[in-house]
Amino acid sequence: MSWSSWPTRTRMIALVLAIDALAALVSCAVIVLNARSAVEVEMQAAMTNVELLVSDTIDLAQAGAPAGILQTLNLRIHDLRHVRVTVLDGTGTVVTSGLGRVRRDQHASPDWFAGLIAPSIREHDLPIVAQGQRIGTARITTQPRDEIDEVWGYAVSLSLTNLGLSLGLLVALYIAFGRVLAPLTRLADGLTQLERQDYTARLEPPASRELATIARRFNSVAQALAETRAANGRLNRQLLSAQDDERRRTALELHDEFGPCLFALEANAASVIRMAEAEAAPDRARLKLRAQEIASIVGQVQTQNRDLLNRLRPHALGQVPLSECLDLLLRDFRRRHSGARFAGTFDGLARGYGDVTDLTVFRCIQESMTNAVRHGRASNVTVRVRDEADPASTSGHALRITIRDDGAGIAPDHGLGLGLSGMRERVEALGGTFALDNGQPGAVVRIMIPLDREQDENSVPRA
């Protein structure tokens, strides 16, 4: 199993263990270095003290017999620490050997530890002189093992204490990490709910300030997603309603406008057929009149058909410059609403900004002027479209659209209908902004659409 696949708490505990092990190694190295120096100093001090002890013993026993000197020396060198004193007679024969202090086996250090800190064995011969004659030798040999055993006992006690503290620390860290990481586990569960499109997920803010901030941000995101889903649902319902309304209006126009025209065409055609089938010669004046009526009805049908197609999809978009399409739109409004004045300024626009952008500009202006006349009862409507510099957009340009009227303005209880919501959705889909405010008098619609760099490069240069 790779390190990255371990749980976070396990990795943190493993990291603490690694740091603890490294600290233990450093501590052991320090103990070994200090113990080696301390044992060396202790052996030197013990050697010096024993030399003084042996010298003093020999000096004090000078008045007695030579054999008594050796016996006295044997008594005084018994049970010494860190050294062993061996008494030799004049011939080099061992008279007695100092055993040093007997070590207790339960504290005996292992050979590998003794090998790490034991200094080299030192040996010194001290002559034993009585009444001017050398009667023997006191051989002093260092024995560092009992000092090493004491260091080993101290090291073992310290290690056991540190081990107990480390185990207690690990248990405390395991519990603490569990409490700290519990909010992250709940966050992961909440994200899983969001992934499954369950936007009702909420997190209780934990005691930690940082994690509480994350929990609040998560709840805000979940709330925003829930609101977005609800808005999308409302928009879908509005879209279906708008489609049904458009179909209903188209059906009514086909029934009310095209139906009578087609009936009149059928009646005139039947009249022509009857005149052609009559035995008498046809009345040319009547035939001419029927033909003129048919031509008039066909012209009326063509006009109605053109208006209907233009409402469903402006046929000039993409074929002529955008400014000319907007001029045609204003001209059509002047024709259909003769009691109102419509003016527009479209200078400096490119030929086009892409099919989606051009259609959005056209529909927003069309819907805004329709609202101004139908709901605001405006008598003057002014439209302005500008291509301005905008550092925030990718191409450095943005379209700014302003539609002003002198109508009744916006009522305080005004709601967002299908037309306004449709305009807002169109504009926001292009990354723009839509605003509707009172204009003192009337209302004003402000729209900003950032231009895409590729659309701007493909457009015709501005006039």
Side-chain angles (χ1 to χ4, degrees), residues 71-249:
Q71 184 66 29
T72 301
L73 187 60
N74 180 45
L75 292 174
R76 296 199 66 178
I77 64 175
H78 184 69
D79 198 22
L80 294 176
R81 280 174 55 86
H82 308 323
V83 295
R84 182 180 64 189
V85 180
T86 302
V87 180
L88 306 175
D89 59 14
T91 63
T93 303
V94 176
V95 176
T96 182
S97 177
L99 299 178
R101 179 167 293 183
V102 178
R103 293 180 285 109
R104 291 174 290 183
D105 292 338
Q106 61 269 28
H107 294 294
S109 61
D111 293 337
W112 62 267
F113 182 78
L116 285 176
I117 65 174
S120 57
I121 301 300
R122 298 177 60 184
E123 189 175 85
H124 179 65
D125 291 340
L126 190 65
I128 302 175
V129 180
Q131 299 176 0
Q133 296 183 354
R134 182 171 180 169
I135 61 174
T137 302
R139 181 167 293 168
I140 305 172
T141 305
T142 58
Q143 292 291 320
R145 192 59 184 253
D146 52 352
E147 182 69 19
I148 295 174
D149 291 347
E150 290 181 3
V151 174
W152 171 255
Y154 167 75
V156 169
S157 299
L158 182 62
S159 299
L160 291 176
T161 301
N162 288 336
L163 179 60
L165 291 175
S166 298
L167 291 176
L169 178 62
L170 287 176
V171 172
L173 288 177
Y174 186 84
I175 297 174
F177 288 157
R179 292 181 177 273
V180 170
L181 296 176
L184 297 181
T185 302
R186 292 193 292 270
L187 175 61
D189 295 338
L191 292 174
T192 301
Q193 285 184 264
L194 295 185
E195 184 180 5
R196 295 172 180 171
Q197 299 183 0
D198 180 8
Y199 302 135
T200 61
R202 296 293 184 273
L203 298 180
E204 289 293 333
S208 173
R209 182 176 62 183
E210 293 81 4
L211 295 179
T213 302
I214 294 176
R216 286 194 296 270
R217 295 292 183 272
F218 174 87
N219 293 338
S220 298
V221 170
Q223 180 66 27
L225 290 174
E227 293 175 356
T228 301
R229 166 181 274 187
N232 287 338
R234 291 193 300 269
L235 180 61
N236 288 332
R237 291 190 295 270
Q238 291 175 356
L239 180 60
L240 292 176
S241 298
Q243 291 175 346
D244 290 338
D245 291 342
E246 185 64 29
R247 293 190 183 100
R248 188 180 301 108
R249 187 165 61 174

Side-chain angles (χ1 to χ4, degrees), residues 259-433:
C261 291
L262 294 177
F263 177 77
L265 286 175
E266 182 182 12
N268 280 282
S271 176
V272 171
I273 292 173
R274 286 195 302 269
M275 284 188 292
E277 292 177 347
E279 296 180 357
D283 187 348
R284 293 180 179 274
R286 292 180 60 190
L287 282 176
K288 182 180 179 181
L289 180 61
R290 295 292 182 268
Q292 289 175 345
E293 290 180 357
I294 290 175
S296 176
I297 294 171
V298 169
Q300 185 179 354
V301 169
Q302 289 176 342
T303 300
Q304 293 171 356
N305 181 65
R306 185 167 52 251
D307 291 343
L308 179 60
L309 292 176
N310 193 52
R311 192 180 73 244
L312 295 176
R313 163 72 187 187
H315 63 277
L317 281 178
Q319 306 299 321
V320 298
L322 176 61
S323 58
E324 294 184 17
C325 290
L326 298 179
D327 283 330
L328 291 174
L329 177 62
L330 292 179
R331 190 182 308 166
D332 182 65
F333 266 81
R334 294 189 192 103
R335 179 180 58 84
R336 291 189 288 113
H337 305 279
S338 57
R341 178 180 174 274
F342 298 90
T345 303
F346 314 119
D347 297 334
L349 298 182
R351 180 182 180 88
Y353 299 94
D355 187 66
V356 176
T357 301
D358 291 352
L359 184 59
T360 298
V361 173
F362 188 93
R363 291 302 190 198
C364 289
I365 295 175
Q366 184 183 46
E367 182 67 26
S368 297
M369 291 195 300
T370 301
N371 290 337
V373 176
R374 180 182 301 171
H375 302 294
R377 296 180 298 279
S379 57
N380 290 280
V381 180
T382 304
V383 181
R384 185 179 182 186
V385 182
R386 306 185 306 277
D387 187 341
E388 296 182 347
D390 183 10
S393 64
T394 58
S395 66
H397 288 269
L399 287 177
R400 296 192 181 274
I401 307 165
T402 306
I403 304 100
R404 294 180 180 272
D405 65 74
D406 60 353
I410 306 171
D413 56 348
H414 173 74
L416 200 63
L418 292 178
L420 292 177
S421 63
M423 283 195 291
R424 184 186 298 276
E425 293 297 331
R426 283 177 179 272
V427 172
E428 291 181 352
L430 295 176
T433 58

